[in-house]
Amino acid sequence: MSIDLIASILTQTLIYSAPLILTALGGVFSERSGIVNVGLEGIMVMGAFTSIVFNLEMYDQLGAITPWLGILVGGLAGVAFALLHAVATINFRADHIISGTVMNLMAPALAVFLVKAIYGKGQTDNINGTLGYFSFPVLKDIPVIGPIFFKDTFLPAYVAILIAVLAWFIIFKTKFGLRLRSVGEHPQAADTLGINVYLMRYSGVLISGFLGGMGGAVFAQSISGRFAITTIAGQGFISMAAMIFGKWNPLGAMGAALFFGFAQNISIAGSKLPIISSIPDVYLQSAPYVLTILVLVIFLGKASGPKANGTNYIKSK
């Protein structure tokens, strides 16, 4: 295999992995606080929708910075949507799975309705400003390593990796992280120590919404280039699988997301690779989703998440 082919495979893997890393990290924060968030798919949908609309409306005024601002806008939309899940599960003590499922059902319908209301059709136009390729100064000139890792690569993926490292540090090395983990393990004990369980759980869910919205925005502005009802198409569920595969650890979730991103890339670029090119396209295209199911079946029973995950907390008890 040539260096150019290796570099191409790595770059495309990073493109597919970046949204998964961000969303999986969001799931880690939510579930570490004790709130199961199966609504990551819906959060990604809203992040994708708002980022595309923002990009279409603001690109002429803001120029090349628009996609990056679109990521932040998508993150804020994710926070607003995740707030619904937080209120339902924390204040009204709704079943976490049902609440998240409602979010997943509501988000695509709401987004398509708004697209029709704004643009008069079921999908948006293609955006002009996408998250393109980036070359790191100096680093790109390093022999062998430079062309593979640092030349014409995908900068948001490196940002996502840095966020994963930061998330690991926050969760395992800070007072905030200790409190977040404590309310996910034993909220009653945390409460007796003066920790505000509701506040910490809100924090986990809203951080989850911000990162998930960012993930949807990155996917929409780098891979699809527009918004339609099929834009996200299961990326939130793959992110959940990455979170479980990574055992609710930010670095583990990042590694799992890179694995799933590689699987998605192979499903598209496999025709260029020896041996894999002989596999029928239908099998390659279904591989990421089959792997997701296998990971959930194999590891969900064995992976040990936070003990109070999915359990509603009533302060009086």
Side-chain angles (χ1 to χ4, degrees), residues 106-153:
M106 180 172 65
L110 175 62
V112 170
F113 169 78
L114 292 174
V115 167
K116 288 184 178 180
I118 297 171
Y119 300 106
K121 53 185 178 180
Q123 63 184 36
T124 66
D125 294 329
N126 289 330
I127 57 175
N128 292 319
T130 59
L131 294 164
Y133 298 102
F134 175 81
S135 295
F136 289 89
V138 182
L139 295 178
K140 67 178 181 179
D141 298 322
I142 299 175
V144 183
I145 296 176
I148 294 176
F149 291 97
F150 303 117
K151 184 178 180 182
D152 293 331
T153 190

Short mmCIF file of all heavy atoms in Angstrom, two decimals, residues 106-153:
data_model
loop_
_atom_site.label_atom_id
_atom_site.label_comp_id
_atom_site.label_asym_id
_atom_site.label_seq_id
_atom_site.Cartn_x
_atom_site.Cartn_y
_atom_site.Cartn_z
N MET A 106 -39.13 12.36 17.76
CA MET A 106 -39.57 13.74 17.56
C MET A 106 -38.61 14.55 16.71
O MET A 106 -39.03 15.36 15.87
CB MET A 106 -39.76 14.41 18.92
CG MET A 106 -40.22 15.86 18.83
SD MET A 106 -40.65 16.54 20.46
CE MET A 106 -39.04 16.50 21.26
N ALA A 107 -37.30 14.36 16.90
CA ALA A 107 -36.31 15.22 16.26
C ALA A 107 -36.38 15.22 14.73
O ALA A 107 -36.43 16.29 14.12
CB ALA A 107 -34.90 14.82 16.73
N PRO A 108 -36.37 14.05 14.05
CA PRO A 108 -36.43 14.10 12.58
C PRO A 108 -37.70 14.76 12.06
O PRO A 108 -37.66 15.53 11.10
CB PRO A 108 -36.36 12.62 12.18
CG PRO A 108 -35.76 11.93 13.35
CD PRO A 108 -36.25 12.67 14.56
N ALA A 109 -38.83 14.43 12.69
CA ALA A 109 -40.10 15.01 12.24
C ALA A 109 -40.11 16.52 12.43
O ALA A 109 -40.53 17.28 11.54
CB ALA A 109 -41.27 14.37 13.01
N LEU A 110 -39.63 16.99 13.59
CA LEU A 110 -39.58 18.42 13.86
C LEU A 110 -38.64 19.13 12.90
O LEU A 110 -38.97 20.19 12.35
CB LEU A 110 -39.13 18.65 15.31
CG LEU A 110 -38.91 20.10 15.73
CD1 LEU A 110 -40.21 20.90 15.62
CD2 LEU A 110 -38.34 20.17 17.15
N ALA A 111 -37.46 18.53 12.67
CA ALA A 111 -36.48 19.16 11.79
C ALA A 111 -37.00 19.26 10.35
O ALA A 111 -36.85 20.30 9.70
CB ALA A 111 -35.17 18.38 11.83
N VAL A 112 -37.61 18.20 9.85
CA VAL A 112 -38.13 18.22 8.48
C VAL A 112 -39.29 19.22 8.37
O VAL A 112 -39.42 19.94 7.36
CB VAL A 112 -38.58 16.81 8.05
CG1 VAL A 112 -39.36 16.87 6.74
CG2 VAL A 112 -37.37 15.90 7.90
N PHE A 113 -40.13 19.28 9.40
CA PHE A 113 -41.22 20.27 9.41
C PHE A 113 -40.66 21.68 9.32
O PHE A 113 -41.16 22.52 8.54
CB PHE A 113 -42.06 20.12 10.68
CG PHE A 113 -43.03 21.24 10.90
CD1 PHE A 113 -44.22 21.29 10.20
CD2 PHE A 113 -42.75 22.26 11.81
CE1 PHE A 113 -45.12 22.33 10.39
CE2 PHE A 113 -43.64 23.30 12.00
CZ PHE A 113 -44.83 23.34 11.29
N LEU A 114 -39.61 21.97 10.08
CA LEU A 114 -39.01 23.30 10.06
C LEU A 114 -38.33 23.59 8.72
O LEU A 114 -38.37 24.71 8.22
CB LEU A 114 -38.00 23.43 11.20
CG LEU A 114 -38.60 23.43 12.62
CD1 LEU A 114 -37.50 23.41 13.67
CD2 LEU A 114 -39.52 24.63 12.81
N VAL A 115 -37.71 22.57 8.12
CA VAL A 115 -37.10 22.75 6.80
C VAL A 115 -38.16 23.12 5.77
O VAL A 115 -37.97 24.03 4.95
CB VAL A 115 -36.35 21.47 6.37
CG1 VAL A 115 -35.98 21.53 4.89
CG2 VAL A 115 -35.09 21.28 7.20
N LYS A 116 -39.29 22.42 5.82
CA LYS A 116 -40.38 22.73 4.89
C LYS A 116 -40.94 24.12 5.15
O LYS A 116 -41.29 24.85 4.21
CB LYS A 116 -41.49 21.68 5.01
CG LYS A 116 -41.12 20.34 4.41
CD LYS A 116 -42.29 19.36 4.46
CE LYS A 116 -41.91 18.03 3.80
NZ LYS A 116 -43.03 17.06 3.84
N ALA A 117 -41.03 24.51 6.42
CA ALA A 117 -41.55 25.83 6.76
C ALA A 117 -40.61 26.94 6.30
O ALA A 117 -41.05 28.01 5.86
CB ALA A 117 -41.78 25.93 8.26
N ILE A 118 -39.30 26.68 6.37
CA ILE A 118 -38.32 27.71 6.01
C ILE A 118 -38.03 27.74 4.51
O ILE A 118 -37.99 28.81 3.89
CB ILE A 118 -37.00 27.47 6.77
CG1 ILE A 118 -37.23 27.60 8.29
CG2 ILE A 118 -35.93 28.46 6.33
CD1 ILE A 118 -36.04 27.16 9.13
N TYR A 119 -37.84 26.54 3.90
CA TYR A 119 -37.39 26.47 2.52
C TYR A 119 -38.43 25.94 1.54
O TYR A 119 -38.19 25.91 0.33
CB TYR A 119 -36.12 25.60 2.43
CG TYR A 119 -34.98 26.15 3.25
CD1 TYR A 119 -34.61 25.54 4.44
CD2 TYR A 119 -34.27 27.27 2.84
CE1 TYR A 119 -33.56 26.03 5.21
CE2 TYR A 119 -33.22 27.78 3.59
CZ TYR A 119 -32.87 27.16 4.78
OH TYR A 119 -31.85 27.66 5.53
N GLY A 120 -39.57 25.49 2.06
CA GLY A 120 -40.65 25.03 1.19
C GLY A 120 -40.40 23.70 0.53
O GLY A 120 -41.04 23.36 -0.46
N LYS A 121 -39.46 22.91 1.06
CA LYS A 121 -39.20 21.58 0.52
C LYS A 121 -38.67 20.70 1.63
O LYS A 121 -38.35 21.17 2.73
CB LYS A 121 -38.21 21.64 -0.64
CG LYS A 121 -36.92 22.38 -0.35
CD LYS A 121 -36.07 22.50 -1.62
CE LYS A 121 -34.79 23.28 -1.33
NZ LYS A 121 -33.96 23.40 -2.55
N GLY A 122 -38.55 19.41 1.35
CA GLY A 122 -38.24 18.44 2.39
C GLY A 122 -36.78 18.34 2.78
O GLY A 122 -36.44 17.64 3.73
N GLN A 123 -35.89 19.01 2.06
CA GLN A 123 -34.48 19.01 2.41
C GLN A 123 -33.86 20.33 2.01
O GLN A 123 -34.41 21.06 1.18
CB GLN A 123 -33.75 17.85 1.72
CG GLN A 123 -33.76 17.92 0.20
CD GLN A 123 -33.12 16.71 -0.43
OE1 GLN A 123 -33.23 15.60 0.06
NE2 GLN A 123 -32.42 16.92 -1.55
N THR A 124 -32.73 20.65 2.61
CA THR A 124 -32.09 21.93 2.32
C THR A 124 -31.21 21.82 1.07
O THR A 124 -30.94 20.72 0.57
CB THR A 124 -31.19 22.37 3.49
OG1 THR A 124 -30.10 21.45 3.62
CG2 THR A 124 -31.99 22.40 4.79
N ASP A 125 -30.75 22.96 0.59
CA ASP A 125 -29.74 22.97 -0.46
C ASP A 125 -28.39 22.57 0.13
O ASP A 125 -28.21 22.55 1.35
CB ASP A 125 -29.64 24.37 -1.07
CG ASP A 125 -30.91 24.77 -1.80
OD1 ASP A 125 -31.58 23.88 -2.35
OD2 ASP A 125 -31.24 25.98 -1.81
N ASN A 126 -27.44 22.29 -0.74
CA ASN A 126 -26.09 21.99 -0.28
C ASN A 126 -25.43 23.27 0.24
O ASN A 126 -25.62 24.36 -0.32
CB ASN A 126 -25.25 21.41 -1.41
CG ASN A 126 -25.68 20.00 -1.76
OD1 ASN A 126 -26.16 19.26 -0.92
ND2 ASN A 126 -25.50 19.63 -3.02
N ILE A 127 -24.65 23.15 1.31
CA ILE A 127 -23.98 24.31 1.86
C ILE A 127 -22.73 24.64 1.05
O ILE A 127 -22.15 23.77 0.40
CB ILE A 127 -23.58 24.06 3.34
CG1 ILE A 127 -22.70 22.81 3.46
CG2 ILE A 127 -24.82 23.93 4.21
CD1 ILE A 127 -22.17 22.57 4.86
N ASN A 128 -22.34 25.91 1.10
CA ASN A 128 -21.13 26.33 0.39
C ASN A 128 -19.89 26.18 1.25
O ASN A 128 -18.80 25.90 0.75
CB ASN A 128 -21.27 27.80 -0.04
CG ASN A 128 -22.32 27.98 -1.12
OD1 ASN A 128 -22.41 27.16 -2.04
ND2 ASN A 128 -23.11 29.03 -1.02
N GLY A 129 -20.05 26.37 2.56
CA GLY A 129 -18.90 26.29 3.45
C GLY A 129 -18.87 24.98 4.20
O GLY A 129 -19.68 24.74 5.09
N THR A 130 -17.96 24.10 3.85
CA THR A 130 -17.85 22.80 4.52
C THR A 130 -16.58 22.76 5.37
O THR A 130 -15.70 23.61 5.24
CB THR A 130 -17.80 21.65 3.50
OG1 THR A 130 -16.67 21.84 2.63
CG2 THR A 130 -19.08 21.62 2.66
N LEU A 131 -16.52 21.76 6.25
CA LEU A 131 -15.31 21.54 7.05
C LEU A 131 -14.33 20.76 6.19
O LEU A 131 -14.34 19.53 6.15
CB LEU A 131 -15.67 20.77 8.32
CG LEU A 131 -16.57 21.52 9.31
CD1 LEU A 131 -17.17 20.56 10.31
CD2 LEU A 131 -15.79 22.63 10.01
N GLY A 132 -13.49 21.47 5.51
CA GLY A 132 -12.60 20.83 4.54
C GLY A 132 -11.33 20.28 5.16
O GLY A 132 -11.28 19.99 6.36
N TYR A 133 -10.30 20.16 4.35
CA TYR A 133 -9.04 19.57 4.78
C TYR A 133 -8.09 20.64 5.31
O TYR A 133 -8.17 21.81 4.94
CB TYR A 133 -8.40 18.81 3.63
CG TYR A 133 -9.24 17.66 3.15
CD1 TYR A 133 -10.00 17.76 1.98
CD2 TYR A 133 -9.30 16.46 3.85
CE1 TYR A 133 -10.79 16.71 1.54
CE2 TYR A 133 -10.07 15.40 3.42
CZ TYR A 133 -10.82 15.54 2.26
OH TYR A 133 -11.60 14.50 1.83
N PHE A 134 -7.19 20.19 6.17
CA PHE A 134 -6.27 21.12 6.83
C PHE A 134 -4.89 20.47 6.93
O PHE A 134 -4.77 19.28 7.22
CB PHE A 134 -6.77 21.47 8.24
CG PHE A 134 -5.84 22.33 9.04
CD1 PHE A 134 -5.83 23.70 8.84
CD2 PHE A 134 -4.98 21.78 9.98
CE1 PHE A 134 -4.96 24.51 9.58
CE2 PHE A 134 -4.11 22.58 10.72
CZ PHE A 134 -4.12 23.94 10.51
N SER A 135 -3.85 21.26 6.70
CA SER A 135 -2.47 20.79 6.84
C SER A 135 -1.79 21.54 7.98
O SER A 135 -1.83 22.77 8.03
CB SER A 135 -1.68 20.99 5.54
OG SER A 135 -2.21 20.20 4.49
N PHE A 136 -1.18 20.79 8.90
CA PHE A 136 -0.48 21.40 10.02
C PHE A 136 0.86 21.96 9.55
O PHE A 136 1.66 21.21 8.97
CB PHE A 136 -0.25 20.38 11.12
CG PHE A 136 -1.49 19.97 11.87
CD1 PHE A 136 -2.24 18.90 11.42
CD2 PHE A 136 -1.90 20.65 13.00
CE1 PHE A 136 -3.39 18.51 12.09
CE2 PHE A 136 -3.03 20.28 13.68
CZ PHE A 136 -3.79 19.21 13.23
N PRO A 137 1.12 23.24 9.80
CA PRO A 137 2.42 23.80 9.43
C PRO A 137 3.55 23.04 10.12
O PRO A 137 3.40 22.59 11.26
CB PRO A 137 2.34 25.26 9.94
CG PRO A 137 0.88 25.54 10.05
CD PRO A 137 0.23 24.24 10.42
N VAL A 138 4.67 22.88 9.45
CA VAL A 138 5.87 22.22 9.95
C VAL A 138 5.66 20.70 10.08
O VAL A 138 6.42 19.91 9.53
CB VAL A 138 6.35 22.79 11.31
CG1 VAL A 138 7.64 22.08 11.76
CG2 VAL A 138 6.57 24.30 11.21
N LEU A 139 4.62 20.30 10.82
CA LEU A 139 4.38 18.87 11.04
C LEU A 139 4.14 18.11 9.73
O LEU A 139 4.51 16.95 9.61
CB LEU A 139 3.19 18.67 11.98
CG LEU A 139 3.35 19.18 13.41
CD1 LEU A 139 2.07 18.96 14.20
CD2 LEU A 139 4.53 18.48 14.10
N LYS A 140 3.52 18.79 8.77
CA LYS A 140 3.21 18.11 7.51
C LYS A 140 4.47 17.74 6.73
O LYS A 140 4.43 16.88 5.83
CB LYS A 140 2.32 19.00 6.64
CG LYS A 140 3.02 20.26 6.15
CD LYS A 140 2.14 21.11 5.25
CE LYS A 140 2.89 22.34 4.77
NZ LYS A 140 2.07 23.17 3.86
N ASP A 141 5.59 18.38 7.06
CA ASP A 141 6.84 18.14 6.33
C ASP A 141 7.70 17.03 6.94
O ASP A 141 8.76 16.71 6.40
CB ASP A 141 7.66 19.44 6.28
CG ASP A 141 6.93 20.55 5.53
OD1 ASP A 141 6.27 20.23 4.53
OD2 ASP A 141 7.01 21.71 5.96
N ILE A 142 7.26 16.44 8.05
CA ILE A 142 7.99 15.33 8.65
C ILE A 142 7.93 14.13 7.70
O ILE A 142 6.85 13.77 7.22
CB ILE A 142 7.39 14.95 10.01
CG1 ILE A 142 7.46 16.13 10.98
CG2 ILE A 142 8.10 13.73 10.60
CD1 ILE A 142 6.77 15.88 12.30
N PRO A 143 9.05 13.50 7.41
CA PRO A 143 9.02 12.36 6.47
C PRO A 143 8.09 11.25 6.96
O PRO A 143 8.05 10.93 8.14
CB PRO A 143 10.49 11.88 6.47
CG PRO A 143 11.28 13.09 6.87
CD PRO A 143 10.41 13.83 7.84
N VAL A 144 7.37 10.66 6.04
CA VAL A 144 6.45 9.54 6.26
C VAL A 144 5.28 9.92 7.17
O VAL A 144 4.11 9.89 6.76
CB VAL A 144 7.17 8.29 6.84
CG1 VAL A 144 6.16 7.13 6.96
CG2 VAL A 144 8.33 7.88 5.95
N ILE A 145 5.58 10.30 8.42
CA ILE A 145 4.51 10.60 9.37
C ILE A 145 3.71 11.83 8.95
O ILE A 145 2.48 11.85 9.04
CB ILE A 145 5.10 10.81 10.79
CG1 ILE A 145 5.72 9.52 11.29
CG2 ILE A 145 4.03 11.29 11.76
CD1 ILE A 145 6.42 9.67 12.63
N GLY A 146 4.42 12.84 8.48
CA GLY A 146 3.77 14.09 8.09
C GLY A 146 2.68 13.92 7.06
O GLY A 146 1.53 14.33 7.28
N PRO A 147 2.98 13.29 5.90
CA PRO A 147 1.93 13.12 4.88
C PRO A 147 0.76 12.26 5.33
O PRO A 147 -0.36 12.43 4.85
CB PRO A 147 2.69 12.44 3.73
CG PRO A 147 4.12 12.80 3.93
CD PRO A 147 4.29 12.87 5.42
N ILE A 148 1.00 11.34 6.27
CA ILE A 148 -0.07 10.44 6.72
C ILE A 148 -0.98 11.11 7.73
O ILE A 148 -2.21 11.05 7.62
CB ILE A 148 0.54 9.15 7.32
CG1 ILE A 148 1.26 8.35 6.24
CG2 ILE A 148 -0.56 8.29 7.95
CD1 ILE A 148 1.97 7.11 6.75
N PHE A 149 -0.38 11.78 8.73
CA PHE A 149 -1.16 12.29 9.86
C PHE A 149 -1.46 13.79 9.80
O PHE A 149 -2.46 14.23 10.37
CB PHE A 149 -0.44 11.99 11.18
CG PHE A 149 -0.39 10.54 11.54
CD1 PHE A 149 0.73 9.78 11.25
CD2 PHE A 149 -1.47 9.93 12.15
CE1 PHE A 149 0.78 8.43 11.58
CE2 PHE A 149 -1.43 8.58 12.48
CZ PHE A 149 -0.30 7.83 12.19
N PHE A 150 -0.64 14.56 9.14
CA PHE A 150 -0.73 16.01 9.30
C PHE A 150 -0.94 16.79 8.00
O PHE A 150 -1.05 18.01 8.04
CB PHE A 150 0.52 16.54 10.00
CG PHE A 150 0.78 15.89 11.34
CD1 PHE A 150 1.92 15.13 11.54
CD2 PHE A 150 -0.13 16.04 12.37
CE1 PHE A 150 2.15 14.53 12.77
CE2 PHE A 150 0.10 15.45 13.61
CZ PHE A 150 1.23 14.69 13.81
N LYS A 151 -1.00 16.12 6.86
CA LYS A 151 -1.19 16.83 5.60
C LYS A 151 -2.57 16.52 5.04
O LYS A 151 -2.96 15.36 4.94
CB LYS A 151 -0.11 16.42 4.59
CG LYS A 151 -0.20 17.18 3.27
CD LYS A 151 0.93 16.76 2.33
CE LYS A 151 0.84 17.51 1.01
NZ LYS A 151 1.90 17.10 0.07
N ASP A 152 -3.30 17.57 4.67
CA ASP A 152 -4.65 17.42 4.11
C ASP A 152 -5.49 16.48 4.98
O ASP A 152 -6.11 15.53 4.49
CB ASP A 152 -4.59 16.89 2.67
CG ASP A 152 -3.97 17.89 1.73
OD1 ASP A 152 -4.10 19.10 1.99
OD2 ASP A 152 -3.34 17.48 0.75
N THR A 153 -5.51 16.75 6.25
CA THR A 153 -6.24 15.92 7.20
C THR A 153 -7.49 16.65 7.67
O THR A 153 -7.80 17.75 7.21
CB THR A 153 -5.33 15.53 8.39
OG1 THR A 153 -5.98 14.54 9.17
CG2 THR A 153 -4.99 16.74 9.24
#
